[in-house]
Amino acid sequence: MASKPSTYSLEEQVPTPFDFRSTIQAHGWVVLRPFEWHEPTAALSRIHRLETGKVVQLHLHDGNKVIRIEIDTVSSLTTDEETEIRQSVRRMLRLDEGFEAFHQLSKQLDGQSLALKPGSGRLLRCPRLFEDIIYTLCTTNIAWSGTKRMVDRLVAKLGDPFMDIHDQRAFPTAEAIAAAGTDFLKQETGLGYRSAYVWELATAIVEGQVDLDAFEDQALPTDELYRMLRQIKGVGDYAASTILMLLGHYDRLAIDSEMRAFVSTKYFDNQPASNDQIQAIYAPWGRWQYLAYWFESLSN
DNA sequence: GTCCAGGTCGCGC
DNA sequence: GCGCGACATGGA
């Protein structure tokens, strides 16, 4: 049992401009395990299970035009593992997405009320789509405190530990969730009726009936992705639209109680707003409408 | 105890 | 295609 971790350091180029703090903190995922934000060092950490099964701890720091990646690991990393980590970081921070058009449109349309900081626009996501979908399912029909609680327990009960440290665990694999079964999920993680949805998705992935990599194809139109996502049980209109955002498709609003309340207050004098009315508000933003809403509600 | 939370499903019409 | 009740759980 190796006990002393070694630390690797990698660097990953970032686009310019790039706002590290906004990317991480503009979205709630940062407070969901195994994400962790450490303010004194301004570092984002995440216990991460590699495809090989090796569990490492990642620490991301803002560098000069780079992300510095520190990796705590009990055994040395192969080239493939390094590559996997780099790709995970690129996905989490959306380093391959461009937001120039969003900023340009913002100046054109609404430069006053939606003051975007240079380099903002990116919203943190998980290293893998599977994790983003489970997080999203944990936001449905529940208060945010409940989301945190459910994710906490899911990780605590089913995630692989880092260096045998019991409260330092990676996000569970589909295999672990599938093997756990719905009774376990209900009793141990507090997922409630969502247990069946989470278990069914995990099982479908393990059995090869669902291939989530197919969803990452940027060439697929939003409507088609939406139809594909809706086939996952438990993923309704809100969840599908949220997952589309996570996939980098911002041309569809995820209308939920939060958005309804915000739009009603800001644009309709606290009167209830219909879906059509909400969509009309953000329609001018075209393929950026989700982000327009998101950053508008943040700056409020 | 009762209500409800960043919804969704499966019904019946 | 739309309206409605049920759904697990825990905090207010």
Side-chain angles (χ1 to χ4, degrees):
Chain A
M1 190 163 88
S3 56
K4 209 164 171 225
S6 49
T7 300
Y8 276 67
S9 233
L10 299 176
E11 284 189 350
E12 198 61 22
Q13 301 288 320
V14 299
T16 320
F18 174 78
D19 188 328
F20 179 72
R21 189 177 280 267
S22 165
T23 297
I24 287 159
Q25 304 212 320
H27 194 243
W29 269 198
V30 66
V31 302
L32 300 180
R33 292 295 196 96
F35 277 126
E36 206 169 339
W37 173 256
H38 188 237
E39 181 60 37
T41 55
L44 176 72
S45 301
R46 188 172 170 99
I47 310 290
H48 185 66
R49 184 189 187 280
L50 297 160
E51 297 294 341
T52 53
K54 189 180 293 179
V55 179
V56 300
Q57 185 168 29
L58 306 177
H59 307 276
L60 308 186
H61 305 264
D62 195 13
N64 182 24
K65 301 192 174 171
V66 296
I67 296 296
R68 287 193 294 111
I69 311 169
E70 283 176 20
I71 308 154
D72 297 334
T73 173
V74 287
S75 59
S76 57
L77 297 174
T78 65
T79 309
D80 283 352
E81 288 171 336
E82 274 190 29
T83 303
E84 185 186 342
I85 289 169
R86 288 182 186 280
Q87 284 170 349
S88 294
V89 170
R90 297 198 76 79
R91 185 179 197 280
M92 284 190 272
L93 303 184
R94 300 179 186 267
L95 299 184
D96 298 309
E97 285 183 47
F99 294 85
E100 298 82 1
F102 177 43
H103 284 256
Q104 271 178 17
L105 185 59
S106 169
K107 283 181 189 139
Q108 252 176 278
L109 283 182
D110 199 58
Q112 308 299 315
S113 83
L114 184 57
L116 289 173
K117 286 192 291 179
S120 68
R122 293 179 171 79
L123 300 178
L124 179 68
R125 55 183 177 174
C126 295
R128 300 182 184 91
L129 177 58
F130 174 67
E131 301 165 353
D132 280 327
I133 296 178
I134 303 299
Y135 275 12
T136 301
L137 285 172
C138 289
T139 67
T140 58
N141 196 26
I142 191 92
W144 183 243
S145 61
T147 301
K148 286 193 280 190
R149 186 178 55 246
M150 291 190 293
V151 173
D152 262 9
R153 293 192 195 167
L154 203 47
V155 171
K157 300 287 181 178
L158 293 173
D160 285 354
F162 170 64
M163 287 179 49
D164 296 323
I165 305 172
H166 291 302
D167 62 349
Q168 299 275 289
R169 292 173 185 272
F171 195 86
T173 60
E175 285 78 4
I177 292 174
T182 52
D183 287 345
F184 180 93
L185 290 172
K186 258 193 194 173
Q187 288 156 22
E188 303 292 330
T189 70
L191 260 75
Y193 68 89
R194 299 168 197 77
S195 299
Y197 303 147
V198 168
W199 181 82
E200 276 183 42
L201 174 62
T203 302
I205 290 169
V206 170
E207 293 180 351
Q209 291 151 358
V210 168
D211 173 20
L212 291 184
D213 290 339
F215 290 80
E216 305 273 4
D217 179 1
Q218 290 301 303
L220 285 174
T222 299
D223 287 349
E224 187 173 347
L225 281 167
Y226 179 83
R227 281 192 291 274
M228 290 161 63
L229 287 165
R230 286 298 302 269
Q231 289 175 7
I232 301 171
K233 209 185 276 183
V235 174
D237 178 68
Y238 153 80
S241 304
T242 300
I243 296 163
L244 282 170
M245 172 280 281
L246 290 160
L247 284 166
H249 299 262
Y250 308 111
D251 51 336
R252 186 178 180 104
L253 298 175
I255 300 178
D256 58 13
S257 56
E258 283 286 308
M259 184 182 292
R260 227 173 261 296
F262 173 76
V263 172
S264 150
T265 302
K266 175 151 183 178
Y267 294 100
F268 294 96
D269 196 24
N270 288 319
Q271 297 306 306
S274 70
N275 285 12
D276 286 348
Q277 286 175 311
I278 295 172
Q279 276 154 2
I281 295 289
Y282 294 102
W285 291 88
R287 71 183 176 103
W288 301 107
Q289 47 191 292
Y290 187 109
L291 291 181
Y293 155 73
W294 192 267
F295 283 93
E296 191 180 271
S297 71
L298 275 188
S299 62
N300 209 52

